[in-house]
Amino acid sequence: MGLFEPGRLGHLTLPNRIVMAPLGRARNDPDTRKPGALSVEYYRQRASAGLIISEATHVSAGSVSRPGTGAIHTAAQVEAWRRVTNAVHDAGGRIFQQLFHLGRKADPDRLPGRQPPPAPSAIAARGTLPGPQGPKPFPVPRPLRLGEIAALRDEFGLALVNASSAGFDGVELHAANGFLIEQFLRDDSNQRVDAYGGSIAARARFLLQLVDAALEVFGPEGVGVRLSPHFDIDGPGASDPALLYPYIAEQLGQRGIAYLHVIEPDSIPHPRKIAARLKEAFGGPFILAGEFTRDSAEAALAQSRADFIAFGRPFIANPDLVARFRQPEPVLNPTDEATWYSGGAHGYTDYPTLAQTLVNAG
Ligand SMILES: Cc1cc2nc3c(=O)[nH]c(=O)nc-3n(C[C@H](O)[C@H](O)[C@H](O)COP(=O)(O)O)c2cc1C
């Protein structure tokens, strides 16, 4: 199997195995958190990807961080996202929406009433939040009461219906990178002693309940999940990843969801690598992400380590990454980190296409 072989994913047939990884770019309206014309253009430019997974999108007003991150809990936001999905579809592409809640990583200064953000337990993330006066430590969060967990599930439920109304082909639940769903999974952030903490099954309960809610809206063909078993930037991580993550993969496999998406960079030492076990335990379409090049992606597909490969930073700087990868010796624009979250068109919609680069070189 190669990068340019079509592949089945849920109800979609992707024309290639190249997935655009979710990438928050902070270009939404700072007040309404709606995507505007610039984001429509950004996603349209990248529609040749086999599948686009949208930037992480907040499910509620209780999940807020830097200005410009997107949300999908109001009718106006749904309307704005519909322009994005229409543009991608009109350009021949496919797009899932990544949904998330920040949990303990929300910024209390931006939350209604300036309260501490909700999380499974009162344990602060390691590290800092960006603020107008410079970085500040993550807050100690407020542990969720049981009834509040049900309310949070309802918030996800509304966002799922909204994502469907906005025309997304499916949703990806963001259970990675230290945000709320992962905070439930990991025992360094979840020390609850009720139905949502303690055993692996209890820690996975919140995620699986959200998956079941997503199945009701999209059916199994329109639901994906992202996991990051090696993420340890904001704390030591789960004490038992080799048991926790295969359990989750197996549970997701039983539900027959469209795909499992795992971040496992090549640089992870071999004895800690777990993706192969997760792929086997899941048994369905498997997307692998993390530091891939065209050639390492081809190798991973050839060795059946993945069915699809997600590219993050290469898609920031190369709207036509698929066309570039078709070249015998792909030449990629380098990504400019200074413009990842800077706002505006520069570093967002103005990276040159291959054709423009060749004209300029000629
Ligand atoms: C600017 C930027 C924004 C990102 N935003 C998200 C996000 O919204 N959701 C997510 O799951 N991962 C996010 N990631 C992680 C990427 O999806 C991807 O896993 C990571 O960049 C590694 O892949 P790469 O080596 O191909 O870049 C982001 C990464 C970058 C560089």
Side-chain angles (χ1 to χ4, degrees):
M1 187 203 308
L3 275 176
F4 296 100
E5 226 171 277
R8 191 88 189 148
L9 187 128
H11 53 92
L12 303 171
T13 300
L14 312 192
N16 58 61
R17 308 268 166 169
I18 300 166
V19 172
M20 177 172 160
L23 294 161
R25 305 299 313 283
R27 258 55 173 204
N28 300 282
D29 183 279
D31 298 319
T32 62
R33 297 189 183 271
K34 290 191 302 187
L38 209 51
S39 299
V40 172
E41 174 61 6
Y42 166 80
Y43 282 108
R44 191 197 57 73
Q45 288 177 343
R46 286 156 179 78
S48 58
L51 176 71
I52 295 175
I53 303 168
S54 85
E55 64 203 76
T57 313
H58 299 289
V59 299
S60 83
S63 168
V64 272
S65 58
R66 65 173 92 235
T69 53
I72 185 137
H73 49 83
T74 70
Q77 289 160 354
V78 172
E79 210 48 51
W81 279 111
R82 192 173 294 127
R83 283 183 214 119
V84 171
T85 62
N86 282 342
V88 170
H89 291 147
D90 289 349
R94 296 138 296 274
I95 182 167
F96 271 41
Q97 181 159 51
Q98 192 188 51
L99 295 177
F100 82 148
H101 190 298
L102 291 166
R104 67 179 182 169
K105 290 185 153 178
D107 185 344
D109 290 338
R110 300 183 199 278
L111 286 174
R114 298 196 156 207
Q115 301 163 17
S121 300
I123 302 166
R126 185 166 67 197
T128 55
L129 271 167
Q133 270 86 48
K136 51 187 180 181
F138 280 114
V140 177
R142 184 173 55 80
L144 284 155
R145 294 190 302 273
L146 258 189
E148 290 181 302
I149 296 178
L152 264 177
R153 285 205 311 270
D154 290 344
E155 290 183 351
F156 271 92
L158 176 63
L160 287 163
V161 171
N162 285 346
S164 172
S165 310
F168 284 96
D169 297 301
V171 283
E172 177 176 283
L173 292 171
H174 191 355
N177 298 352
F179 298 112
L180 180 67
I181 303 177
E182 195 187 274
Q183 290 161 29
F184 273 94
L185 300 179
R186 286 164 37 182
D187 54 359
D188 65 332
S189 47
N190 179 357
Q191 295 182 356
R192 301 180 73 89
V193 291
D194 58 12
Y196 291 90
S199 69
I200 282 174
R203 282 183 272 142
R205 191 178 311 279
F206 184 62
L207 166 62
L208 295 175
Q209 286 177 334
L210 296 182
V211 170
D212 290 340
L215 294 178
E216 279 180 32
V217 178
F218 280 94
E221 312 253 281
V223 180
V225 169
R226 192 172 216 213
L227 299 172
S228 55
H230 304 288
F231 186 82
D232 59 1
I233 294 169
D234 62 5
S239 66
D240 50 4
L243 296 173
L244 170 67
Y245 286 100
Y247 170 82
I248 296 169
E250 197 183 300
Q251 289 290 316
L252 296 174
Q254 283 172 15
R255 286 161 171 83
I257 63 169
Y259 68 83
L260 176 60
H261 182 179
V262 171
I263 308 168
E264 183 165 87
D266 243 9
S267 52
I268 297 294
H270 205 266
R272 285 181 50 213
K273 285 212 162 103
I274 194 175
R277 281 185 59 200
L278 302 185
K279 182 173 185 291
E280 197 187 330
F282 177 61
F286 192 74
I287 306 179
L288 200 53
E291 300 172 359
F292 277 99
T293 62
R294 196 266 313 257
D295 293 348
S296 68
E298 288 284 20
L301 293 176
Q303 295 157 9
S304 299
R305 286 190 280 124
D307 301 299
F308 302 90
I309 304 293
F311 297 88
R313 288 161 294 179
F315 258 116
I316 292 178
N318 298 278
D320 55 350
L321 188 66
V322 173
R324 286 171 187 263
F325 277 170
R326 281 188 188 276
Q327 301 293 305
E329 302 288 336
V331 179
L332 303 190
N333 299 316
T335 165
D336 171 16
E337 200 170 331
T339 55
W340 281 358
Y341 308 114
S342 58
H346 181 49
Y348 190 51
T349 49
D350 65 352
Y351 279 106
T353 60
L354 185 58
Q356 287 164 339
T357 304
L358 294 177
V359 167
N360 291 343

Coordinates of all heavy atoms in Angstrom, one line a residue, residues 8 49 61 79 102 104 115 121 133 145 147 171 175 181 205 207 220 230 282 317-318 322 328 332-333 344:
R8 N -10.4 3.3 2.1 CA -11.8 3.5 2.7 C -11.6 3.9 4.2 O -10.9 3.3 4.9 CB -12.5 2.1 2.6 CG -13.9 2.1 2.9 CD -14.7 2.4 1.7 NE -16.1 2.5 2.1 CZ -17.0 3.3 1.6 NH1 -16.7 4.0 0.5 NH2 -18.2 3.4 2.1
A49 N -5.9 17.0 0.4 CA -5.6 16.0 1.4 C -6.6 14.9 1.3 O -7.8 15.2 1.0 CB -5.6 16.6 2.8
A61 N -18.4 27.5 26.1 CA -17.8 28.7 26.5 C -17.0 28.5 27.8 O -16.2 29.4 28.2 CB -18.9 29.8 26.8
E79 N -23.0 28.4 11.5 CA -23.2 29.0 10.2 C -21.8 29.3 9.6 O -21.6 29.0 8.4 CB -23.9 30.4 10.5 CG -24.7 30.9 9.3 CD -25.7 29.8 8.8 OE1 -26.4 29.1 9.5 OE2 -25.6 29.6 7.6
L102 N -10.8 22.1 27.1 CA -9.5 22.3 27.6 C -9.4 21.7 29.1 O -8.3 21.4 29.5 CB -9.1 23.7 27.7 CG -8.9 24.4 26.4 CD1 -8.9 25.9 26.6 CD2 -7.6 24.0 25.8
R104 N -8.5 21.5 32.6 CA -7.6 22.2 33.5 C -6.6 23.2 32.8 O -5.9 23.9 33.4 CB -6.7 21.3 34.4 CG -5.7 20.4 33.6 CD -5.0 19.5 34.5 NE -4.0 18.7 33.8 CZ -3.0 18.0 34.4 NH1 -2.9 17.9 35.7 NH2 -2.1 17.3 33.7
Q115 N -13.4 31.9 37.2 CA -13.3 30.8 38.1 C -12.2 29.9 37.7 O -11.8 29.9 36.5 CB -14.6 29.9 38.1 CG -15.8 30.6 38.4 CD -17.0 29.8 37.9 OE1 -16.8 28.6 37.6 NE2 -18.1 30.4 37.8
S121 N -9.7 16.2 38.7 CA -9.1 16.4 40.0 C -8.4 17.7 40.2 O -8.1 18.3 39.2 CB -8.2 15.2 40.4 OG -8.8 14.0 40.3
Q133 N 0.4 39.5 29.9 CA 1.6 40.0 30.7 C 2.7 38.9 30.7 O 3.6 38.9 31.5 CB 1.2 40.3 32.1 CG 0.8 41.7 32.4 CD -0.7 41.9 32.1 OE1 -1.5 41.1 32.5 NE2 -1.0 42.9 31.3
R145 N -18.0 17.9 40.0 CA -18.9 17.1 40.7 C -19.6 16.1 39.7 O -19.6 16.4 38.5 CB -20.0 17.9 41.4 CG -19.4 18.8 42.5 CD -20.5 19.5 43.3 NE -21.4 20.3 42.5 CZ -21.2 21.6 42.1 NH1 -20.1 22.2 42.6 NH2 -22.0 22.2 41.4
G147 N -22.6 15.4 38.9 CA -23.6 16.0 38.0 C -23.0 16.9 37.0 O -23.6 17.1 35.9
V171 N -16.7 13.5 13.1 CA -16.0 14.2 14.1 C -14.8 13.4 14.7 O -14.9 12.2 14.6 CB -16.9 14.5 15.4 CG1 -17.8 15.7 15.1 CG2 -17.6 13.3 15.8
A175 N -8.9 13.2 22.3 CA -8.5 12.5 23.6 C -7.0 12.5 23.8 O -6.4 11.5 24.3 CB -9.1 11.1 23.7
I181 N -10.4 15.3 27.9 CA -10.7 13.8 27.8 C -9.5 13.1 28.3 O -9.6 12.1 29.1 CB -11.1 13.4 26.4 CG1 -12.3 14.3 25.9 CG2 -11.4 12.0 26.3 CD1 -12.8 14.0 24.5
R205 N -14.2 5.8 31.1 CA -15.6 5.9 30.9 C -16.1 7.2 30.2 O -16.9 7.2 29.4 CB -16.3 5.8 32.3 CG -17.8 5.7 32.3 CD -18.4 5.6 33.7 NE -17.7 4.6 34.6 CZ -17.9 3.3 34.6 NH1 -18.8 2.8 33.7 NH2 -17.2 2.5 35.4
L207 N -14.5 9.2 28.1 CA -14.3 9.1 26.6 C -15.3 8.2 26.0 O -15.9 8.6 24.9 CB -12.9 8.6 26.4 CG -12.6 8.1 24.9 CD1 -12.7 9.3 23.9 CD2 -11.2 7.5 24.8
P220 N -21.2 5.0 13.4 CA -19.8 4.7 13.5 C -18.9 5.2 12.4 O -17.7 5.5 12.6 CB -19.8 3.1 13.5 CG -21.1 2.7 13.1 CD -22.1 3.9 13.4
H230 N 2.1 9.0 24.4 CA 3.5 9.4 24.9 C 3.5 10.9 25.3 O 4.6 11.4 25.6 CB 4.5 9.2 23.7 CG 4.5 7.8 23.2 ND1 5.0 6.8 23.9 CD2 4.0 7.3 22.1 CE1 4.9 5.7 23.2 NE2 4.2 6.0 22.1
F282 N -7.3 -2.4 18.0 CA -8.4 -1.6 17.4 C -9.0 -2.4 16.2 O -10.2 -2.6 16.1 CB -8.0 -0.2 16.9 CG -9.0 0.6 16.3 CD1 -10.2 0.9 16.9 CD2 -8.9 1.0 14.9 CE1 -11.2 1.6 16.3 CE2 -9.8 1.7 14.3 CZ -11.0 2.0 15.0
A317 N 2.8 24.7 6.1 CA 3.6 25.4 5.1 C 3.4 25.0 3.7 O 3.9 25.7 2.8 CB 5.1 25.3 5.5
N318 N 2.6 24.0 3.4 CA 2.5 23.4 2.1 C 1.0 23.1 1.8 O 0.6 22.0 2.0 CB 3.4 22.2 1.8 CG 4.8 22.6 2.0 OD1 5.5 23.1 1.1 ND2 5.3 22.3 3.2
V322 N 0.1 17.3 -1.1 CA -0.2 16.1 -1.9 C 0.6 16.2 -3.2 O 1.3 15.2 -3.6 CB -1.7 15.9 -2.1 CG1 -1.9 14.7 -3.0 CG2 -2.3 15.6 -0.7
P328 N 9.3 13.4 -7.6 CA 10.3 12.4 -7.2 C 11.2 12.8 -6.0 O 11.4 12.0 -5.1 CB 11.2 12.3 -8.5 CG 10.4 12.8 -9.6 CD 9.4 13.8 -9.0
L332 N 9.8 21.0 0.0 CA 8.7 21.6 0.8 C 9.1 23.0 1.3 O 10.3 23.3 1.6 CB 8.5 20.7 2.1 CG 8.1 19.2 1.8 CD1 7.7 18.6 3.2 CD2 7.0 19.1 0.8
N333 N 8.1 23.9 1.4 CA 8.3 25.1 2.1 C 8.6 24.8 3.6 O 7.9 24.0 4.2 CB 7.1 26.0 2.1 CG 6.7 26.4 0.7 OD1 7.5 26.7 -0.1 ND2 5.4 26.3 0.4
G344 N -4.0 36.7 11.2 CA -3.8 37.3 9.8 C -3.4 36.3 8.8 O -3.2 35.1 9.1

